[in-house]
Amino acid sequence: MSRPRIVIVGAGFAGYRTARTLSRLTRHQADITLLNPTDYFLYLPLLPQVAAGILEPRRVSVSLSGTLPHVRLVLGEADGIDLDGHTVHYSGPEGEEGTLPFDRLVLAAGSVNKLLPVPGVAEHAHGFRGLPEALYLRDHVTRQVELAAAAKDRAECAARCTFVVVGAGYTGTEVAAHGAMYTDAQVRRHPMRTGMRPRWMLLDVAPRVLPEMDERLSRTAGRVLRQRGVDVRMGTSVKEATHDGVLLTDGSTVDTRTLVWCVGVRPDPLVESLGLPLERGRLLVDSQLRVPGRPEVFACGDVAAVPDLNQPGQYTPMTAQHAWRHGKVCAQNVAASLGVGRRRAYRHRDMGFVVDLGGAKAAANPLGLPMSGPAAGAVTRGYHLAAMPGNRVRVAADWLLDAVLPRQAVQLGLVRSWSVPLESASPEVARVPGRPERARRAGTGTGERDAVDPGAERAGEERSEEQPPGGHSRDRPSGEPAKNQPGGEPARNQPGGEPAKNQPHAEPREEQPHGSRSGSARASGTPRRAAETAGPPARGTRKPRKTSGTSGVTRSANPAAPSGPTRSADGPADSGPEPPADQPPPGPDIAPGPVKRTDGRAAEGDS
């Protein structure tokens, strides 16, 4: 008799814990497959310390194959689930496609950035959900401080060293607290010519910092932030974001090059395509994390609306603490469905929360006991070391080195702004040039269709490295070719095109064929994520919006939009605004400079 096949979609807190517990419970009596776009589990609570230069990226990323030796890892993103056919369709990182059959399915796809309908946010803000975003923010903040220090104009200096964080929840509070310490340390070693200092702002429509936590934790965090000079503005948010700054809801304008979006998360859109009952985007499950009417399907983590048995009528919140516990109970119930052990209902006991504010400062309430100061800092770091499934010694060593040595404030430029769009179905994966175009199956029995990559849905939006994190350039007519490749590297590897040839940066690029992209509707068994075309996005092409319906999410792309930069030896293929004659060609370490527009819109770039 063949062994039962268990497929787990997602390796976040819930998915990773499910795989690890199932591996122990089944004792090699089941085939366990873990489908995830990356080969690591990311310990999200320490991500602000990566952006602040305290921890190296690999410290908070735990190897899946190294810690789950009896689990088969498949790299890819689920883009279609056929519940009746018991199969999961996925696409790999290099364009390959595959199908995973299952007898038991665990949905633990996690969450993505929540984007509110605020003008300009999608173009000019930067999220904070994955390693690529943290690495980009670290480089960007470092660069802005260095450019501000060299600026002679006080207005430019003030804009570059002003950093706006929207969302005073767990993530936003820690980003602002660590960011203020990081930039202050830079300025102490290299004072600015104008005598100015970095300015951090924390905005939220809530009446207090950390509104979802105990009020005593909120007061402690707010006091520490204000002591560090963070401008905390409650009851205020962003009304409009532009390239040069933000307009706040109180009517004031803040000149800035940095807008960090930490307003919250929403469930991964994958579950919308299943046609099953949802609760605010989350899949409804019972107390044993089973999907009603589908005894072979389980869901846990941020994509599952799990009943809170301690508070009837409510659902457990979308926190890492709950997701980690969901994973254990889900694994026990999956094993019980195979005849191993017994079923359990999910119940939790609030163990309290910890908020790391940098240095020796923290706010914590372990077991309901409020703490602050160095004692809270020790409890917070002890909790993180105990909760991490690996890398504990390396993390502790980095903390020790940070306490006795200055931080290395350097910008490596490995992650460009266009590779970490705010609106992305996969914030944990950076968009990189050179990935082949992939054709997608539109659904069972529907033949083949081309699909658009949601991570590159804003195809053709190239952002200057001096723009706000995640900020995009202004629109250009859809057929207009891009002028400069990010980083100044001439990209010629287009689908069906000739391989790139070495040439000076100032030389015009040869004419490229336009790549083709089109959309597909997501339904049960319908692909969710689409292929990426080679080359970084061209500037100016707008991303198609997602529209939710009863059958799932429909995404489309403008088929006339270019998939990459197109230049002819004699000039651009289509007419459009040209850069000024005295503009230098982009170099390998900085983005293109400002481009004067002829369509009446604001100039692009800020260098």
Side-chain angles (χ1 to χ4, degrees), residues 122-141:
E123 293 80 11
H124 302 288
H126 176 69
F128 201 81
R129 287 291 299 165
L131 272 180
E133 293 173 316
L135 292 175
Y136 172 74
L137 181 60
R138 177 176 170 178
D139 272 7
H140 176 82
V141 170

Side-chain angles (χ1 to χ4, degrees), residues 15-32:
Y16 180 85
R17 185 80 183 276
T18 300
R20 193 173 73 169
T21 307
L22 265 176
S23 177
R24 176 178 55 84
L25 292 176
T26 57
R27 299 181 183 275
H28 316 298
Q29 296 178 7
D31 292 329
I32 304 173

Side-chain angles (χ1 to χ4, degrees), residues 30-62:
D31 292 329
I32 304 173
T33 300
L34 180 61
L35 177 64
N36 197 58
T38 63
D39 66 347
Y40 59 82
F41 159 76
L42 177 62
Y43 190 76
L44 272 169
L46 293 181
L47 203 58
Q49 297 193 23
V50 175
I54 300 174
L55 297 177
E56 291 303 313
R58 286 185 294 180
R59 304 295 185 257
V60 299
S61 51
V62 179

Side-chain angles (χ1 to χ4, degrees), residues 241 331 354:
V354 294

Side-chain angles (χ1 to χ4, degrees), residues 366-380:
L367 301 177
L369 178 64
M371 303 177 66
S372 61
V379 169
T380 298

Side-chain angles (χ1 to χ4, degrees), residues 285-360:
V285 297
D286 60 21
S287 61
Q288 296 179 357
L289 290 89
R290 297 176 301 181
V291 176
R294 294 285 181 176
E296 76 282 3
V297 180
F298 297 76
C300 54
D302 289 350
V303 298
V306 181
D308 190 341
L309 299 182
N310 296 330
Q311 302 182 55
Q314 299 187 26
Y315 300 94
T316 58
M318 297 167 61
T319 65
Q321 189 177 113
H322 280 290
W324 186 251
R325 297 173 182 177
H326 286 174
K328 180 179 179 181
V329 174
C330 184
Q332 292 171 337
N333 290 333
V334 171
S337 71
L338 300 174
V340 180
R342 61 183 181 86
R343 298 184 185 274
R344 301 174 184 268
Y346 178 73
R347 290 182 180 271
H348 73 279
R349 180 189 176 194
D350 189 0
M351 303 295 291
F353 287 91
V354 294
V355 182
D356 188 355
L357 301 175

Side-chain angles (χ1 to χ4, degrees), residues 407-418:
R407 297 181 195 174
Q408 294 176 299
V410 295
Q411 48 165 323
L412 301 179
L414 300 179
V415 181
R416 299 288 183 169
S417 58
W418 52 263

Side-chain angles (χ1 to χ4, degrees), residues 365-410:
N365 62 344
L367 301 177
L369 178 64
M371 303 177 66
S372 61
V379 169
T380 298
R381 295 201 168 184
Y383 169 80
H384 287 316
L385 285 179
M388 289 193 67
N391 297 344
R392 295 187 181 95
V393 175
R394 289 185 170 92
V395 169
D398 275 4
W399 283 341
L400 178 61
L401 292 175
D402 181 68
V404 298
L405 296 176
R407 297 181 195 174
Q408 294 176 299
V410 295

